[in-house]
Amino acid sequence: MSRRLRLAVPNKGRLVEPSLALLHDAGLVFEEHDRSLVARVQNFDLDILFVRTNDVIEFVGDGVADLGITGIDLLAEAGAELPRIRSLGFGRCRLAAAVPNDTPYQVVEDLAGLRVATAHPNTARRFFAERRIPVDVIAISGAVEVAPRLGLAEAIVDLVSTGSTLAMNGLRPIGDILDSEAVLVANPVARRERAEQLAAIETMLGAVIAARDKKYVMMNAPAEKLAELEALLPGLASPSVIPLAHEGMIALHSVVGADEVWGLLPRLKAAGASGILVLPIEKIVP
Ligand code: AMP
């Protein structure tokens, strides 16, 4: 019998909570034991290895783990060519060049001849080299945003999501280097030899991710309003229509984008719907 599948997950930092939430939402039952190295999943042939964020890629590359959760920025920095199974819908950020507000630099080309501090030196060097912008990339491991204030560099390259950390440090972005998001990666050999088990995990996680930005909407309406209401409800394919005990009345069920719900409700009501219910969806397998 082959050994249990292993998934490497960061044990600290921003990716931890959303990764665990995804695994729990997928229905995997495991105890975290203070995130000690291994958690055994009770209802699936899977062990979860909690490792340092920067070690996930190495564990998967070496085959110690079959799968891993990491960021696109970390893959780029490690120069790792691991197969990406799917994006996970969290950890969205971008790697951007930024400068202090009170400097004249407007575009990345203005950084020629200057020092750039970053925790992503390989990605930054590659970016500036490809554009033939001669900069001195200074590798530091944390608190990148204070580097200009300390006189260590004139600019930085750092991860940005809302931009509030930059703003708080008196910095403004002048150019994007890379878009990042959390991704599920696989060991190339495991991908070939354990394809079926990996596909099961992919379906499991994909079903949760697909359901997260959707809602299930149910409503009653007079049957003659069907065409008008159907035009408002895209659904996964088309809405379900169910006759009600009361003659001439129907129930309509449909899946709609979570972002669209608030805009849709008054339009459904105006088109004759009543008793509208909006429910969360646990999983969608298209
Ligand atoms: P850290 O929390 O520093 O261990 O970051 C781990 C990973 O989370 C990074 O490599 C990115 O992929 C992602 N990340 C970092 N900063 C952000 C951010 N501001 N918003 C969303 N994801 C981020």
Side-chain angles (χ1 to χ4, degrees):
M1 214 182 76
S2 63
R3 69 160 169 76
R4 290 161 70 82
L5 209 60
R6 290 182 187 151
L7 167 68
V9 172
N11 64 359
K12 275 203 195 96
R14 284 174 192 266
L15 298 181
V16 177
E17 292 310 327
S19 297
L20 294 176
L22 176 63
L23 299 173
H24 285 302
D25 288 353
L28 297 174
V29 178
F30 57 95
E31 282 176 35
E32 288 162 41
H33 295 303
D34 300 326
R35 311 220 172 109
S36 61
L37 186 62
V38 187
R40 190 181 167 86
V41 175
Q42 291 160 24
N43 55 349
F44 200 88
D45 268 345
L46 177 72
D47 286 335
I48 299 172
L49 311 187
F50 292 100
V51 304
R52 285 181 27 210
T53 304
N54 286 318
D55 290 345
V56 169
I57 292 168
E58 210 169 304
F59 270 61
V60 176
D62 292 349
V64 175
D66 307 291
L67 290 164
I69 294 180
T70 189
I72 289 173
D73 60 304
L74 297 166
L75 286 169
E77 187 58 21
E81 297 289 337
L82 294 177
R84 294 181 198 177
I85 303 292
R86 64 162 303 130
S87 51
L88 298 174
F90 59 83
R92 288 208 179 96
C93 56
R94 61 190 214 275
L95 193 62
V99 294
N101 287 326
D102 57 1
T103 55
Y105 317 118
Q106 295 299 331
V107 290
V108 288
E109 284 74 15
D110 295 342
L111 301 181
L114 302 179
R115 296 167 302 168
V116 179
T118 182
H120 292 74
N122 298 329
T123 316
R125 281 197 189 102
R126 214 178 307 131
F127 174 85
F128 289 109
E130 277 166 8
R131 281 159 191 76
R132 301 184 190 290
I133 305 169
V135 298
D136 184 8
V137 171
I138 297 171
I140 55 176
S141 58
V144 173
E145 60 283 352
V146 300
R149 227 181 305 142
L150 296 177
L152 198 64
E154 286 73 36
I156 64 166
V157 164
D158 202 7
L159 293 172
V160 182
S161 51
T162 60
S164 60
T165 307
L166 286 186
M168 251 172 4
N169 285 282
L171 301 164
R172 63 184 158 81
I174 57 166
D176 287 350
I177 289 174
L178 179 85
D179 284 323
S180 185
E181 181 178 356
V183 285
L184 181 70
V185 291
N187 173 271
V189 178
R191 195 191 195 187
R192 269 199 317 275
E193 295 181 359
R194 315 186 76 162
E196 215 169 293
Q197 284 167 292
L198 264 52
I201 300 271
E202 187 193 353
T203 304
M204 200 185 271
L205 301 185
V208 173
I209 295 162
R212 279 185 168 164
D213 56 359
K214 301 280 188 215
K215 297 283 178 197
Y216 195 70
V217 181
M218 300 163 50
M219 73 211 72
N220 296 336
E224 80 252 18
K225 299 287 187 182
L226 175 59
E228 208 177 323
L229 287 165
E230 201 177 348
L232 295 172
L233 294 167
L236 284 177
S238 71
S240 309
V241 181
I242 304 148
L244 295 184
H246 192 103
E247 188 75 29
M249 289 293 287
I250 52 168
L252 272 125
H253 293 194
S254 187
V255 174
V256 304
D259 296 345
E260 299 160 39
V261 168
W262 293 114
L264 201 54
L265 292 181
R267 294 163 70 203
L268 292 171
K269 247 183 120 44
S274 60
I276 306 172
L277 304 182
V278 179
L279 291 93
I281 303 175
E282 196 175 292
K283 294 179 181 78
I284 297 178
V285 181

